[in-house]
Amino acid sequence: MKFGIVFFPTVGPADKPAQQYFDESLRLVDLAEELGFDHVKMVEHYFFAYGGYSPDPVTFLAAAAGRTRRVRLGTSATIPAFQHPVKLAGKLAMLDNISNGRVDAAFGRAFLPDEFKAFGISMDESKDRFVEGVDAIKRLWSEEDVVVDGRFHQFGPVTLLPRPVQQPHPPVFVTTARSAESCAEAGRNGHHLQTVPNVMSTEELQSRLELYRAQWAASGRTPGTEQIHFSYPCVVDSDGEQARVKGRHDDDRNSAAIHQAVAAWGTTRSDAYPGYEKLFEATKHSHFESKLEQNKLLIGAPEQVRGQLEQISDWFGDDITISLGVHSGHLSFEDAATTMRLMAEQVIPKLGEGR
């Protein structure tokens, strides 16, 4: 397993000023570099406490690039539907140059009705916009005199500058929440996979990974070269009970934030998002104990979290990468730093001992 840090703020001005959140997060980036974590990531969302402090992850990652030399920099994820492909391709290529080739580019469809409404885009177009946008960005990175004649964008011939450092382009990840078909398409297209285990059962996720890996291999790619990233909220404390108290508070606040953000699904329907109309009701309660029992949250003393990770490895394989959500903004900087240090010093090095 590899381990990194994902930043997904779920705070607003009444909780913590944005400048304080970013200052704390960038100090945690420094710590991730020092402790040997594989990557840092930042999400893209708008308007709500649920991710709204991060409308442009590339800006944050550029700041992170300037204070690190080793750790990889990942979007988690950028939304092609909300940007022109020339603009997004250029920003990510520029970041790849600033960071000397450390970018992992994850793309997602988005799922919040209010975000689509603000951009004047129909949710029913989200998948087609996603596919067209990702294809155009990959071509802009790897080809010259690119001509795009798509449903949503027509331009060219253009040759993107700067060219990305990584050739033919930075690793491309697809973020998927629930769809088995999205997993299959990612494998067929040679895209790496990024998902959140919290939104489906263990059995559902196992079946999706099996499908993804099979399609990766069937497309002629070498089995085992695919990358699979999971994100988990994480709170580790030398006192397991204190970790649970802090973890419950963080999960309650995160659940309240997503409940507010998905409120529009109470009156929204889209064939592109089957079943999402149930989200508003489903997020009314945090179900902390149930999530912890199912290893959907990594919370406890070091030996407890180590046991959780060993179970996750048994379920999904030891070749996955774990992105740790250590700083939503509701716990202190010190709590996040403690989690990272304990993970790096007492959890990760001891994985598999005595098995």
Side-chain angles (χ1 to χ4, degrees), residues 59-94:
T59 299
F60 177 85
L61 295 173
R67 52 204 292 157
T68 58
R69 291 295 177 267
R70 179 197 54 79
V71 69
R72 293 195 65 80
L73 308 168
T75 58
S76 183
T78 52
I79 313 300
F82 297 161
Q83 296 191 60
H84 194 287
V86 171
K87 184 69 172 179
L88 186 50
K91 288 168 58 175
L92 289 166
M94 188 172 175

Side-chain angles (χ1 to χ4, degrees), residues 115-282:
E115 293 180 345
F116 282 90
K117 183 178 180 181
F119 283 100
I121 294 170
S122 168
M123 297 194 75
D124 294 337
E125 298 174 353
S126 68
K127 182 175 180 179
D128 291 342
R129 285 183 176 274
F130 172 83
V131 171
E132 182 178 305
V134 172
D135 179 68
I137 289 166
K138 289 168 63 179
R139 291 187 58 207
L140 286 161
W141 281 338
S142 58
E143 300 175 19
E144 297 182 356
D145 297 322
V146 174
V147 175
V148 169
D149 185 19
R151 175 182 170 193
F152 306 105
H153 299 286
Q154 302 85 35
F155 59 85
V158 296
T159 299
L160 184 73
L161 292 177
R163 312 301 289 171
V165 173
Q166 299 176 90
Q167 293 296 318
H169 53 69
V172 172
F173 288 75
V174 167
T175 297
T176 180
R178 299 166 182 266
S179 169
E181 179 55 29
S182 294
C183 291
E185 287 180 2
R188 284 194 295 269
N189 293 325
H191 297 152
H192 304 296
L193 191 67
Q194 184 172 276
T195 192
V196 181
N198 189 24
V199 300
M200 66 189 93
S201 71
T202 299
E203 295 74 20
E204 287 173 325
L205 184 50
Q206 286 173 326
S207 69
R208 281 157 177 71
L209 294 184
E210 182 179 359
L211 177 61
Y212 168 71
R213 288 170 169 142
Q215 290 298 316
W216 177 278
S219 66
R221 296 171 175 86
T222 304
T225 57
E226 71 276 15
Q227 298 184 52
I228 299 170
H229 286 206
F230 291 169
S231 295
Y232 290 93
C234 183
V235 180
V236 187
D237 193 282
S238 56
D239 183 331
E241 186 53 40
Q242 278 298 307
R244 287 173 67 94
V245 169
K246 294 172 183 177
R248 182 187 294 275
H249 173 71
D250 193 50
D251 186 59
D252 286 347
R253 300 311 304 152
N254 292 342
S255 295
I258 190 172
H259 182 64
Q260 179 194 30
V262 302
W265 276 114
T267 56
T268 302
R269 300 292 181 272
S270 171
D271 291 340
Y273 294 85
Y276 275 68
E277 66 275 4
K278 301 174 183 177
L279 271 179
F280 185 59
E281 286 297 319

Side-chain angles (χ1 to χ4, degrees), residues 7-12 22 42-56 112 115 257-258 261 328:
F7 294 100
F8 197 133
T10 58
V11 289
F22 292 130
M42 177 62 90
V43 72
E44 177 180 342
H45 274 296
Y46 301 85
F47 315 126
F48 296 100
Y50 182 75
Y53 271 180
S54 183
D56 184 9
L112 296 179
E115 293 180 345
I258 190 172
S328 67

